[in-house]
Amino acid sequence: STMRFSKQSASEQADAFAKMARTRSSYYRHNLLMIPYGDDFMHTHAFRSFDDMDDLMNVINTNPQRYNMTVR
């Protein structure tokens, strides 16, 4: 995806990620889920991808009442 993470869209992107994670987790009987991030050529600017995902995880992890999940 070429969409960059931004403070303005942080809650929308976190909501979308949480919804996707909940959908995927419903396919399994345990409470751990590994979600692959990207493909072979997505990370040509890996520092941006890392920073964006780090920011997204921070939004989710600092709002436990809203998301009721922890991402690592």
Side-chain angles (χ1 to χ4, degrees), residues 46-57:
F47 64 95
R48 288 184 191 154
S49 297
F50 178 83
D51 288 345
D52 288 348
M53 184 51 80
D54 199 43
D55 290 342
L56 179 69
M57 292 186 323

Side-chain angles (χ1 to χ4, degrees), residues 22-68:
R22 282 197 181 86
T23 299
R24 289 189 185 186
S25 72
S26 70
Y27 305 146
Y28 304 99
R29 295 192 314 190
H30 50 80
N31 64 354
L32 297 176
L33 181 66
M34 185 173 111
I35 300 173
Y37 182 64
D39 56 33
D40 290 348
F41 300 104
M42 181 178 174
H43 304 293
T44 55
H45 299 286
F47 64 95
R48 288 184 191 154
S49 297
F50 178 83
D51 288 345
D52 288 348
M53 184 51 80
D54 199 43
D55 290 342
L56 179 69
M57 292 186 323
N58 188 43
V59 169
I60 292 171
N61 290 337
T62 57
N63 292 288
Q65 302 85 5
R66 181 174 182 159
Y67 297 107
N68 193 30

